[in-house]
Structures are given as structure tokens and as C-alpha cells.
Amino acid sequence: QAQLVESGGGSVQAGGSLRLSCAASGLTDSDYFMGWFRQAPGKEREGVAAIGPSGTTIYRSSVRGRFTISKDTAMNTLYLQMNSLKPEDTAMYYCAADVIWWGLQSRYNYWGQGTQVTVSS
């Protein structure tokens, strides 16, 4: 059974940085596509960044240049380095995985429980 566990969320002031981690287990195929999503209260879940097995990445325009998605295949861990954080980045952040490339669409098969990021002005 695939399991994704996020960590690294917290409260920071605007301009600060956080690094989110997503530990993956039970993914029997190493060729997984993975992504980070977020959902703020009262808003729909939105894609933030995604990465393919070969390292291809895609970013939401509002985070491009500030966020970096990466993965450590040996450790089965996905990361999201978030710099220059803004209050509008405040949300619950989720990681997701699938064998299909969904990009920033919320159609991934496996999801974590989320980690809260709060950015104060």
C-alpha cells in the first residue's frame, strides 16, 4: 500500500523560507510522477509543482523562481524548497504520486495527509 507522509510545514514571516519533505513508501514502481499541491481555506486545491522520473519539472506561475521541487530517489523523498514566501502562499500543502503524468492537475492516485504552511505579513 503506497503511503506519502509530508513534513516541514510551519509558520514563517513573509520573505522567509521553508523546505517541505514527502517520504514515500510502498511505491512498487520507481517511475513515479510526483507533485506538490496546496489548498487554502475556502479555495480549491491547486497544483504548485510537479516532477517526473527523469527530472522534468513544471511550476505554477505564481511560484516559479521562488519554489524548487526536487527528489532523492534513493531515499524515496520528495522536496519543495520554498523561498521568498508570501502571505498568499498560506495553505495546507500535499504531495501526490502516480504512474501517469498529470502535471499540475489534481488527478494523482496517491496523496499524503498534508502539512500546514502559514506565512504572516
Side-chain angles (χ1 to χ4, degrees):
Q1 181 71 20
Q3 185 175 20
L4 304 175
V5 180
E6 302 95 335
S7 61
S11 297
V12 296
Q13 290 190 328
S17 299
L18 283 173
R19 189 176 81 154
L20 305 183
S21 299
C22 173
S25 61
L27 298 178
T28 57
D29 188 336
S30 62
D31 291 336
Y32 268 84
F33 298 89
M34 301 189 73
W36 285 100
F37 292 77
R38 66 187 181 188
Q39 187 167 21
K43 295 187 177 181
E44 292 188 356
R45 185 174 297 185
E46 61 185 24
V48 176
I51 187 168
S54 62
T56 300
T57 58
I58 184 173
Y59 293 93
R60 185 175 195 82
S61 59
S62 63
V63 307
R64 193 177 296 119
R66 299 189 297 122
F67 291 10
T68 302
I69 188 172
S70 63
K71 61 179 180 176
D72 184 332
T73 302
M75 297 297 293
N76 290 329
T77 303
L78 180 72
Y79 301 100
L80 185 68
Q81 178 66 44
M82 305 186 295
N83 299 327
S84 302
L85 283 161
K86 304 176 181 180
E88 51 264 42
D89 295 319
T90 295
M92 183 71 78
Y93 282 71
Y94 301 87
C95 69
D98 207 328
V99 294
I100 300 172
W101 175 246
W102 296 112
L104 300 182
Q105 299 180 71
S106 300
R107 301 179 67 179
Y108 288 73
N109 195 28
Y110 301 108
W111 292 84
Q113 294 300 306
T115 185
Q116 178 68 37
V117 171
T118 303
V119 185
S120 58
S121 58

